[in-house]
Amino acid sequence: MIITKRDGRQVDFDKSKIYNAVYKAFEQLNKPVDEAAQVAGKIANEIEASCKEGSSVEDIQDTVEKKLMASSHKDVAKAYINYRQLHKMARNQYKELMDAVGEKLSGSNIENQNANVDEHSFGGRMGEAARIVTKKFALENLVSPMAKANHENNEIYIHDLDSYAVGNHNCLSIPFDDLLAKGFNTRQTDVRPAQSINTAFQLVAVIFQLQSLQQFGGVSATHLDWTMVPYVRKSFYKHFKDGMYYIENIEYSEAPKFNAEDYSFNYYKRLDKEDGRAYKYALDMTTKECYQAVEGMYHNLNTLQSRSGNQLPFTSINYGTCTLPEGRMVTKALLDTSIKGIGKLHRTSIFPCGIFQCMKGVNREQGDPNYDLFKLALKSTAQRLYPNYANVDWSGNAGYDVNDPKTYFSTMGCRTANGWDINGLGQQKDGRGNICPVTIIMPTLAMECKINFDTDVKEHYSFDDNQILIDRFLYKLDKKIHEAKDMLIDRFNWIASQPPEAAKFMYENGLMAGYVPEEGIVSALKHGTLAIGQIGLAETLQILIGQDHTTPEGMKVAKQIEQLFKERCVEFKQNYHLNFGVYYTPAENLCYTSMQKFKAKYGIIPNVSDKDFFTNSIHVPVWKHMTPFEKIDIESQLTGYSSAGCITYVELDSGAKNNLEALETIVNYAMDKDIPYFAINVPNDQCMNCGYCDEMDDDCPECGSEDIKRLRRVTGYLTNDYKTAFNAGKQQEVEMRVKHKEFNQ
């Protein structure tokens, strides 16, 4: 006999399935085995005898229910009905999952959760489909019930659940000094140490790409100008020998046997016995090679797509403090190449994220040895948005070694940073990174407190006494900070349980500092950061007191909130000997998705949910009109509470490129206000027909083309046209950004 399954397939009738289902219902209620077998067998035989050709599975199960209900075993009938319902729910969940996967595979549900992923592409569609499955797996099988509830209730967001599933970590500052000097192994071969500046820059791009496959976040070079000094010298030595041969027509065999990277340009200038032509030739050729090498790296990092969805590695390079002539040459080449742009249209480079490290006595004032490079950095920022600015003298990086660039403050692009390592590495940045973050969605907590306050407390107190509501919020926030800590420890332990073979390139070559094979990968992971993030301070304050932190009253409450975050992270760091830190989350996608959940639950609330995004971390709302100095004054009062990464930016118009003195004033003002990481946003619109680059309306003023790319900053890094690369919430945020004008201090 043939029956019809739910999906329409026709199969042979199998009464054993009826027997097993009924037997399990008896078994669930601990009924006697003999009785269970007897009733199950009887019902199975009766249905087999009465079943009609082509009957559906649902019809057969309905008949089983009726027979059980008609018997003396009504309790078993209820157990069987529950069994059916649970299986129905499981089938529905599976169908929902497959429908979601199907949407991603077909490209019919483009959400742009990551502005660096092309969800239209084959790789992007496969990657997004895989993300749905792996995120579901992590949420259902790996995280605790508490963590799952926080994530689903829009209270504490677990970042990158798909990566949680496999157990990899977030960001890393790569120890390029060691890798370029010693060489490294890959899956297929080994790579020799670099012997020239050209090779060194090629290997930087290769290492960036390889490491990006070992993790889910950004990769960074913390002091690239210092790193490249030995390889500039190696190249110079080769060119100097050639110059001696070609100009003086002799083999330069008198050169002492030494390591070329140990000697600066001036050493060779003294060796040039004639009129300096060999020295000049070597300098010219080395400069040319350096520029070609830098340009090659820029092109590689904007074309080597090493993740699903045609995704480029999230790369960052920090530079600007090396005062040696070789390091200055590298910094100048990096900045000149940034200004020039890449490709035939000289487009703004999306990667690497350039970060100029500002340092007192080195590059900030007239007379400093690298002041000219700071001025060049400002020119690049005015035209290309990069570089951003890291504050080497930031108070949060106290204890760094002025003689060791590996301890200078640097970031991993979007904003993540390494603070003081409680497990022995101090302020060393190389070989450390953000292991994993979570983000507390503060407006949800505030709204729950407000609802309860209105219901339980307001009738007994004057609502003008906001401190009662604030205290309730701080109590709830404290509880959630502790839960966030537990969630991070669970994830840290899961990551630490992975075998080193899962990230063989990273562990075999010592990219993550402190790895001891006998101790397992926890020996390296313990030097990284566990980041407790946050979103929506401005909206939280609106819920609590009806104003944000641009007012004195709002700032007072904001400091109470941030102090609680800071105190708890210090406490957790000491108690667990793990580097907990306060993180001002980038929230590229979360700003939108968390707001959608908030609105679905609480509706439209003026000044809170009357838009499609939450304000990023502790930022001033993007629609507030003020000068750049006022914005810096406000945010600088809060950035010191963060140890795991933050960014402050100001929004200027296209006229900034003609007023570099004003830009210099703004950057120095931010550094003097102890801002750790600073960026300037200027419009970067480019015609894809003729290459014209400036702020534009609908068409190009040069050629009339409407094919305009509108590049904007998404978090700390850039992305292509925000109208297509950003999610709906982030698009609205960009469009609501006001210019911070009147920037002549």
Side-chain angles (χ1 to χ4, degrees):
M1 179 172 37
I2 301 298
I3 65 169
T4 304
K5 294 181 73 66
R6 292 181 182 85
D7 59 7
R9 287 183 296 124
Q10 293 190 321
V11 298
D12 290 333
F13 176 81
D14 183 358
K15 72 175 183 180
S16 67
K17 292 187 176 181
I18 299 172
Y19 177 92
N20 290 335
V22 176
Y23 187 90
K24 286 179 180 178
F26 273 87
E27 193 175 43
Q28 184 179 342
L29 298 174
N30 296 316
K31 297 280 187 177
V33 174
D34 292 344
E35 183 181 19
Q38 181 182 359
V39 175
K42 179 182 177 183
I43 291 176
N45 289 334
E46 289 176 354
I47 290 178
E48 181 182 31
S50 62
C51 190
K52 296 178 181 179
E53 188 78 18
S55 295
S56 70
V57 169
E58 290 290 344
D59 290 339
I60 293 170
Q61 290 185 340
D62 287 345
T63 304
V64 173
E65 277 188 24
K66 291 175 183 177
K67 288 185 176 295
L68 284 171
M69 289 298 291
S71 72
S72 60
H73 302 289
K74 289 183 173 54
D75 55 343
V76 178
K78 291 180 180 178
Y80 178 78
I81 291 169
N82 289 336
Y83 166 83
R84 278 189 74 186
Q85 185 62 27
L86 288 172
H87 276 258
K88 182 179 179 180
M89 291 170 60
R91 285 194 303 273
N92 289 341
Q93 287 182 348
Y94 178 77
K95 184 178 184 302
E96 289 175 4
L97 178 63
M98 289 301 101
D99 286 346
V101 168
E103 284 184 339
K104 292 301 183 182
L105 288 175
S106 65
S108 61
N109 181 17
I110 303 299
E111 295 180 304
N112 294 325
Q113 296 186 63
N114 184 326
N116 192 27
V117 172
D118 178 8
E119 291 189 26
H120 292 279
S121 69
F122 290 130
R125 282 146 59 181
M126 290 179 63
E128 288 303 298
R131 276 169 56 87
I132 288 174
V133 176
T134 49
K135 286 168 70 174
K136 180 78 171 176
F137 177 83
L139 204 57
E140 298 295 337
N141 298 280
L142 294 179
V143 308
S144 69
M146 175 271 290
K148 181 182 179 183
N150 273 314
H151 185 83
E152 292 181 336
N153 293 340
N154 208 34
E155 294 180 327
I156 305 177
Y157 182 78
I158 307 171
H159 290 268
D160 301 278
L161 271 167
D162 54 328
S163 295
Y164 197 136
V166 295
N168 61 355
H169 82 285
N170 187 13
C171 297
L172 187 70
S173 292
I174 298 175
F176 280 107
D177 295 7
D178 295 337
L179 292 165
L180 296 180
K182 300 175 183 177
F184 53 90
N185 296 320
T186 69
R187 181 180 176 187
Q188 293 83 5
T189 186
D190 62 276
V191 177
R192 296 189 300 273
Q195 297 300 320
S196 69
I197 187 62
N198 186 46
T199 301
F201 268 109
Q202 287 183 44
L203 292 182
V204 165
V206 169
I207 293 166
F208 268 145
Q209 185 183 34
L210 288 171
Q211 178 56 30
S212 73
L213 297 171
Q214 314 281 290
Q215 56 181 79
F216 63 86
V219 282
S220 173
T222 65
H223 54 285
L224 193 59
D225 46 350
W226 290 94
T227 296
M228 288 298 169
V229 167
Y231 309 101
V232 175
R233 290 177 174 178
K234 285 176 181 286
S235 289
F236 187 91
Y237 178 55
K238 293 176 183 178
H239 295 309
F240 186 76
K241 289 197 299 179
D242 289 343
M244 294 293 286
Y245 176 75
Y246 290 116
I247 294 171
E248 301 186 24
N249 201 27
I250 60 170
E251 292 283 355
Y252 185 56
S253 58
E254 300 177 19
K257 303 299 180 184
F258 57 73
N259 293 322
E261 63 267 27
D262 293 336
Y263 290 83
S264 186
F265 291 164
N266 293 332
Y267 174 82
Y268 297 96
K269 195 171 187 178
R270 294 194 299 270
L271 287 181
D272 195 346
K273 299 177 182 178
E274 299 299 322
D275 55 7
R277 285 186 299 163
Y279 173 83
K280 185 178 185 305
Y281 170 82
L283 185 61
D284 289 345
M285 293 301 294
T286 303
T287 302
K288 182 178 180 180
E289 182 184 347
C290 185
Y291 272 76
Q292 289 174 337
V294 167
E295 187 172 354
M297 181 194 70
Y298 270 85
H299 278 87
N300 282 332
L301 295 181
N302 284 278
T303 56
L304 293 174
Q305 298 166 343
S306 62
R307 288 175 173 164
S308 63
N310 300 329
Q311 187 179 3
L312 298 169
F314 289 77
T315 54
S316 304
I317 53 174
N318 296 260
Y319 54 83
T321 61
C322 184
T323 58
L324 298 172
E326 299 85 353
R328 284 175 45 79
M329 177 186 288
V330 169
T331 297
K332 189 173 188 307
L334 290 167
L335 291 169
D336 282 339
T337 303
S338 173
I339 293 168
K340 179 182 176 183
I342 59 175
K344 62 183 180 181
L345 292 177
H346 300 282
R347 297 173 66 173
T348 297
S349 175
I350 302 299
F351 292 109
C353 172
I355 303 160
F356 190 88
Q357 293 168 294
C358 294
M359 190 174 184
K360 291 178 181 177
V362 173
N363 53 33
R364 286 190 51 193
E365 297 179 357
Q366 184 77 41
D368 288 348
N370 281 2
Y371 178 69
D372 58 329
L373 297 177
F374 178 41
K375 298 283 281 188
L376 189 61
L378 295 168
K379 180 180 178 181
S380 178
T381 298
Q383 296 182 36
R384 303 294 185 179
L385 286 90
Y386 285 157
N388 304 335
Y389 298 87
N391 189 352
V392 174
D393 302 301
W394 177 47
S395 60
N397 200 48
Y400 80 90
D401 183 352
V402 70
N403 296 312
D404 184 1
K406 292 192 290 293
T407 68
Y408 292 0
F409 180 72
S410 61
T411 85
M412 286 164 277
C414 69
R415 69 194 63 194
T416 50
N418 291 308
W420 180 270
D421 175 34
I422 195 170
N423 290 311
L425 296 183
Q427 291 290 16
Q428 177 181 318
K429 312 304 180 189
D430 283 15
R432 299 175 58 212
N434 185 5
I435 304 304
C436 51
V438 295
T439 292
I440 296 177
I441 302 167
M442 295 196 294
T444 300
L445 310 186
M447 200 63 202
E448 288 298 306
C449 291
K450 175 73 160 57
I451 291 170
N452 292 334
F453 181 90
D454 288 347
T455 303
D456 303 333
V457 181
K458 191 174 179 181
E459 61 183 75
H460 302 294
Y461 296 90
S462 167
F463 189 61
D464 292 336
D465 186 3
N466 288 323
Q467 192 59 47
I468 301 167
L469 178 57
I470 293 168
D471 290 344
R472 280 191 157 212
F473 170 77
L474 291 172
Y475 179 84
K476 188 174 185 68
L477 176 61
D478 194 15
K479 180 175 182 291
K480 291 302 173 181
I481 292 174
H482 278 82
E483 290 179 2
K485 173 260 296 179
D486 292 339
M487 291 164 67
L488 287 174
I489 290 175
D490 284 348
R491 188 168 187 175
F492 178 87
N493 290 335
W494 172 243
I495 295 170
S497 73
Q498 304 305 312
E501 291 77 15
K504 188 172 183 179
F505 174 76
M506 180 170 66
Y507 290 113
E508 181 181 27
N509 294 294
L511 273 79
M512 190 173 279
Y515 174 55
V516 179
E518 296 76 18
E519 298 177 12
I521 67 175
V522 70
S523 59
L525 293 169
K526 68 182 181 182
H527 301 294
T529 301
L530 299 180
I532 299 181
Q534 58 179 270
I535 189 173
L537 175 65
E539 290 80 8
T540 298
L541 295 171
Q542 287 286 354
I543 294 168
L544 295 177
I545 62 172
Q547 52 191 302
D548 58 37
H549 51 303
T550 60
T551 69
E553 296 82 0
M555 179 58 74
K556 179 182 177 181
V557 181
K559 289 180 177 179
Q560 286 182 270
I561 292 170
E562 300 310 323
Q563 182 65 26
L564 179 60
F565 272 98
K566 182 177 180 179
E567 287 177 357
R568 289 295 176 258
C569 282
V570 169
E571 173 189 318
F572 299 156
K573 189 170 185 175
Q574 294 295 327
N575 291 347
Y576 295 92
H577 265 259
L578 292 172
N579 295 305
F580 284 92
V582 182
Y583 184 44
Y584 290 162
T585 307
E588 175 188 336
N589 185 52
L590 185 61
C591 73
Y592 174 64
T593 57
S594 59
M595 175 60 87
Q596 298 316 298
K597 289 184 176 181
F598 184 94
K599 284 202 282 191
K601 186 171 183 180
Y602 306 113
I604 304 298
I605 302 169
N607 298 318
V608 176
S609 56
D610 50 359
K611 54 191 182 306
D612 287 332
F613 62 93
F614 279 127
T615 299
N616 189 303
S617 60
I618 55 91
H619 288 181
V620 169
V622 297
W623 57 87
K624 293 278 186 174
H625 290 268
M626 59 184 62
T627 69
F629 305 104
E630 289 170 333
K631 187 172 192 291
I632 292 167
D633 284 342
I634 293 168
E635 294 188 6
S636 66
Q637 296 180 62
L638 300 175
T639 53
Y641 293 100
S642 171
S643 58
C646 62
I647 188 171
T648 288
Y649 69 86
V650 296
E651 198 88 23
L652 305 181
D653 60 30
S654 59
K657 66 179 65 175
N658 301 314
N659 196 350
L660 298 186
E661 290 77 13
L663 290 191
E664 181 179 353
T665 300
I666 292 170
V667 173
N668 275 327
Y669 188 84
M671 299 298 105
D672 290 339
K673 283 289 184 175
D674 206 31
I675 294 286
Y677 187 39
F678 184 69
I680 294 174
N681 290 348
V682 291
N684 192 291
D685 302 341
Q686 184 162 29
C687 174
M688 293 295 98
N689 181 53
C690 70
Y692 177 77
C693 187
D694 206 340
E695 190 169 10
M696 294 181 237
D697 293 323
D698 296 331
D699 51 29
C700 174
E702 290 290 309
C703 70
S705 172
E706 295 181 356
D707 185 8
I708 311 297
K709 293 285 187 184
R710 304 178 192 280
L711 184 149
R712 297 292 185 271
R713 188 182 310 279
V714 59
T715 55
Y717 65 90
L718 310 181
T719 190
N720 266 311
D721 197 333
Y722 80 92
K723 290 181 177 289
T724 57
F726 287 7
N727 61 57
K730 204 67 180 176
Q731 285 186 43
Q732 186 189 63
E733 188 239 84
V734 170
E735 289 165 357
M736 291 180 69
R737 293 176 185 175
V738 300
K739 308 296 184 187
H740 301 123
K741 297 184 178 180
E742 302 174 21
F743 53 85
N744 288 312
Q745 176 74 329

